[in-house]
C-alpha cells in the first residue's frame, strides 16, 4: 500500500473541469498537464505529488470522451482516482492509459481535501483517518493492464 495525499472534488465533475477544451490544442500531455483542474484549483498542478490521490463523488469524469482527461492526471503522478461512481467512458479511458480508477462508495463522504490515504488495488481496500473502506477490487487481468502501463502497452507485451 502506498500513502498519498487526497485532493477531493465534487459530484458530476466533468472532463472540461479536468482539462478545458482550449488546452487540447497543445501538442503534448506534458504541456496540457499544467492546466489540470485550472477552473477549480489553478494551483493543483503545483500541489499534487506523485503518489497522491484524486477523490470524487458520483459520476466522476462525465462529459466528453476525451482521453486527455485521465492522461493529464496520470502525467501529474496521480496514483489513482477513487470515486463513488465514474462516467463509463472516463473509466474505460483511464484503464486504457494505465490510470487506476476505483469505486469506493463510502470513502468520499468520510474524507477531506488534504487527508492522507493508502490504497491497495490487490486487496480492494482504502484506509484514511484510522478507518478502512471496502472498494471495488479490480480483476487480476485489469491489474495486469494497469501495471503494464495501459491497454496498448499490455497488448504489445503479449504480442511480442
Amino acid at each position: 500500500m502506498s500513502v498519498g495525499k487526497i485532493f477531493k472534488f465534487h459530484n458530476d465533475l466533468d472532463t472540461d473541469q479536468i482539462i478545458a477544451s482550449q488546452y487540447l490544442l497543445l501538442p503534448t500531455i506534458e504541456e496540457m498537464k499544467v492546466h489540470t483542474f485550472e477552473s477549480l484549483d489553478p494551483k493543483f498542478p503545483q500541489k499534487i505529488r506523485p503518489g497522491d490521490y484524486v477523490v470524487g463523488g458520483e459520476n466522476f469524469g462525465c462529459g466528453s470522451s476525451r482521453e486527455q482527461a485521465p492522461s493529464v492526471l496520470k502525467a501529474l503522478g496521480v496514483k489513482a482516482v477513487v470515486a463513488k461512481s465514474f462516467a463509463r467512458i472516463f473509466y474505460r479511458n483511464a484503464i486504457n492509459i494505465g490510470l487506476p480508477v476505483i469505486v469506493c462508495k463510502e470513502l468520499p463522504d468520510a474524507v477531506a481535501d488534504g487527508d492522507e490515504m493508502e490504497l491497495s488495488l490487490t486487496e480492494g481496500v482504502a484506509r484514511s483517518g484510522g478507518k478502512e473502506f471496502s472498494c471495488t477490487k479490480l480483476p487480476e487481468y485489469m491489474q495486469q493492464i494497469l501495471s503494464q502501463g495501459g491497454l496498448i502497452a499490455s497488448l504489445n507485451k503479449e504480442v511480442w
Side-chain angles (χ1 to χ4, degrees), residues 146-157:
L146 291 169
S147 70
Q148 293 176 338
L151 184 61
I152 299 301
S154 177
L155 291 173
N156 284 339
K157 287 180 182 173

Side-chain angles (χ1 to χ4, degrees), residues 63-135:
S64 74
S65 61
R66 65 183 61 141
E67 192 174 89
Q68 294 91 338
S71 295
V72 294
L73 296 174
K74 183 179 178 186
L76 286 169
V78 170
K79 180 78 173 175
V81 179
V82 179
K84 289 182 180 184
S85 67
F86 291 91
R88 285 182 297 173
I89 193 70
F90 180 89
Y91 187 90
R92 185 175 183 106
N93 283 339
I95 297 296
N96 285 349
I97 61 107
L99 176 67
V101 280
I102 307 299
V103 174
C104 196
K105 297 284 187 188
E106 289 81 32
L107 182 130
D109 291 333
V111 298
D113 197 54
D115 286 354
E116 286 195 342
M117 179 177 86
E118 54 184 340
L119 176 68
S120 171
L121 296 176
T122 56
E123 295 174 31
V125 171
R127 294 183 183 95
S128 183
K131 296 178 184 170
E132 187 170 285
F133 301 91
S134 179
C135 305

